[in-house]
Amino acid sequence: MRRIGVTLGWVFIVLFGAAFAEDADKPMYGAWGVDLAAIDRGIRPGDDFFGYANGTWLDQTSIPADKRAVTLRVYMSDRVEERVKDILETSAAHTADKPSDLTGKVGAFYKAFMDETRIESLGFTPIESQLAAVHAAQSRAALAGLMGRSNSDFYSSLYAASIDVDLKDPAHYALYLNQAGLGLPDRDYYLQADFAKQRAAYQAYVMQLLRLIQWPKAEELAGSVVAFETKIADSSWSAAQDRDVAATYNPMKVVELQKLVPGFAWKSYLLSERAPDIERVVVAEKTAFPKIADTFANTPVETLQAWLAFHVTDNAAPYLSKTFADAWFELHEKVLGGQQQPRLRWKRAITAVSGDDFIAGGRFGSFGTMGWGVGQLYAGKYFPPDAKAKIQELIRHLLAAYRARLEKLDWMSPATRAEALKKLDTYTIKVGYPDHPRGYSTLTISDIDLVGDVQRAAAADWAFLIARYHGAVDRTDWAMTPQTNDAYNGSLRDIVFPAAILQPPIFDPSADPAINYGSVGAIIGHELTHGFDDQGRKLDAVGALRDWWAPQDATAFDARAARLSAQYSTFHPLASDPNLHVNGELTLGENIADLGGVTLGLDAYRASLHGASAPVLDGTTGDQRVFLGWAQAWRGKLTDDAIKQQIVSDPHSPRRFRVNGVVRNMDAWYEAFDVRPGDKLYVAPEDRVHIW
Ligand SMILES: [Zn+2]
């Protein structure tokens, strides 16, 4: 799926073993949904609200050696994981040799991943046919053909194809093409001095895998492969550029693409994608495309073959014998993520079968899973109708609160306001699970063929997308499975909250409503405002790519945004690295959405009282609980390496600043916690930024 939408960016979700009491009548934290024991009353709320709300918990919590983070979202993921494990193990215990039903297939897939003895005995033979195909591909055209199979097999590509709603013609689908081809997380890793350590580790890893598959001249070619990717990185757009929806929408006929990017065999590529009848594509990073093709055309075939052989192996490594899986862990999770130990096998099996957050996650867990099938079983068991009814009521209040804000927003011109209100009415908010289950009847799963299962599941996903390409867009579609602990705002003008995120501390049907409005309410509000902000302005009420803002709206918005950007750039996340600061520009869109989200959550909570005054619980007021709900939803700590990676590549600010950066701009917070001049987070009323 193309990343038009933006997720909440809980990229660092990792798994953690913990037991939960599943008592539906009691809130999970404290008497009414906030963990009072986590609060550090030695910290003034006005000095560090995140520290005040979470300080005791932060002091008492350390990051386990096999994790790069520990957060309450980790506990949520644990809970989901326990549930999914139960589903998969039960299914595996009852599966047949040749399963034909959904439960049986899911069980057989899990069993195949858990069969370590067999996997060990196979070495890298499961990818022999792919490696042989790379050996045989003696021309650039042949290599382009293999790259065209990156959606349905273990190959990688310099250009990634995906199918999603056409932004200029939202009733139909389009084939999008994005820059790709890098093995490190971002172009900066290749180009900036700070990442020398990671680069060296990557080159050693390339060499190690090439040696393990007995590829000729592994040592020499590893250097050439990394040099090749460095040139690709140099041609690639940055993460910030990639977030510009208008700049990344460049529709053209395939014949025009061939003219723009002559150095690449597009026909072979598209034929392999099984998209031969597609005549029109949408190119994302238009200026990068020909440069990447030039590099491809000027690199020896021998290097390109080694590059592709390495990537096949890298993509398949988590499913191969221990040597491969360990090497993969060392690079991807330890060096790049700061995680000290690999996860247990059954946890990795869950990722393989049920999937990861496949918008925010990596290739392992997003490629070749049966995620929708597992999601169907999950939602059937764990998303009760009363939780659904409560969240739908909260959403009604939130939409009404946003409508009221838009109606009186002082910086928006009347014509733009009318467009915004029209657009708001077309939004759908989806909760729990999709209306239509994905069919798996033609998918073959075998409990003795793990690599084959992954490949066939990936091919089935791609076949599903290709098959519906010529039909009308399905507005009930989901891009995230029900068991995903995340949410997104998509190109269907939809905001999607899977069943797995609708649990404490994000949402607790048993908690005091103020907590829910401060957590899930603010989070849904965050997503909602994305549809109207400097990204959302580019998509109109019918979902077409059209700027519906007037120029003066943009000027007014930018002036306010620039002040918020400057505020965030003063935040320093690491005591050990005082020069490292939040990139106010990269994180701007998300920070604005956070500010809007909490504003809407508070409005919606107040409206939900229908004129009654909020109850005081354990000495806390309703408004205080809304702010605490937000602050505690973000409770967590990350390794320094993970924070560094986040600062460079993640458009979301570190947790502390998602809290502190927001509240200091809200007048109600000053009243709720008696914040005064002299407090560290204090911002004078005239300098506070109000956007939504
Ligand atoms: Zn966002």
Side-chain angles (χ1 to χ4, degrees), residues 27 81 100 107 126 150 214 217 233 285 325 339 409 527 531 581 673:
E81 187 184 52
S100 56
S150 61
Q214 294 147 28
K217 299 201 277 180
E285 303 86 358
Q339 180 182 318
L409 213 55
E527 292 298 328
H581 65 86
F673 291 95

Side-chain angles (χ1 to χ4, degrees), residues 109-312:
F109 200 159
Y110 182 76
K111 220 167 155 182
F113 196 98
M114 292 304 289
D115 191 349
E116 276 185 276
T117 313
R118 175 178 298 276
I119 289 167
E120 212 43 48
S121 71
L122 293 173
F124 68 98
T125 55
I127 54 168
E128 261 176 352
S129 68
Q130 288 88 346
L131 294 175
V134 177
H135 263 299
Q138 301 284 344
S139 69
R140 289 186 183 78
L143 286 163
L146 292 181
M147 287 188 215
R149 287 158 65 184
S150 61
N151 279 309
S152 54
D153 207 330
F154 287 95
Y155 304 99
S156 279
S157 177
L158 296 173
Y159 303 101
S162 60
I163 287 177
D164 204 343
V165 178
D166 190 327
L167 290 170
K168 287 264 167 111
D169 177 14
H172 298 100
Y173 290 105
L175 185 93
Y176 291 91
L177 292 171
N178 281 76
Q179 67 187 18
L182 302 182
L184 286 167
D186 186 86
R187 73 192 290 278
D188 284 358
Y189 280 75
Y190 296 85
L191 306 172
Q192 290 188 4
D194 292 358
F195 293 108
K197 182 188 88 176
Q198 287 86 344
R199 245 177 348 255
Y202 181 56
Q203 184 158 328
Y205 173 69
V206 176
M207 185 167 72
Q208 185 186 5
L209 291 198
L210 290 176
R211 275 188 183 149
L212 284 170
I213 57 168
Q214 294 147 28
W215 200 263
K217 299 201 277 180
E219 188 154 342
E220 179 193 328
L221 287 170
S224 311
V225 165
V226 176
F228 169 65
E229 286 192 11
T230 304
K231 286 183 199 156
I232 301 299
D234 194 38
S235 303
S236 298
W237 286 17
S238 68
Q241 283 175 295
D242 244 354
R243 278 175 68 82
D244 186 335
V245 210
T248 52
Y249 186 90
N250 304 289
M252 59 187 79
K253 300 267 187 229
V254 172
V255 287
E256 293 169 305
L257 175 65
Q258 282 166 333
K259 273 185 208 145
L260 174 74
V261 192
F264 193 75
W266 289 105
K267 277 195 176 147
S268 311
Y269 174 86
L270 290 170
L271 201 66
S272 299
E273 291 285 7
R274 299 197 176 80
D277 56 342
I278 291 175
E279 289 172 1
R280 177 180 169 276
V281 295
V282 179
V283 167
E285 303 86 358
K286 192 175 174 183
T287 57
F289 268 50
K291 292 182 198 164
I292 291 170
D294 279 349
T295 302
F296 176 66
N298 292 311
T299 299
V301 168
E302 185 186 45
T303 301
L304 299 172
Q305 286 177 299
W307 172 82
L308 194 50
F310 157 70
H311 278 292
V312 165

Side-chain angles (χ1 to χ4, degrees), residues 6-8 526-527 530 590 593 652:
V6 267
T7 69
L8 294 167
H526 168 117
E527 292 298 328
H530 274 315
E590 296 305 322
H652 303 83

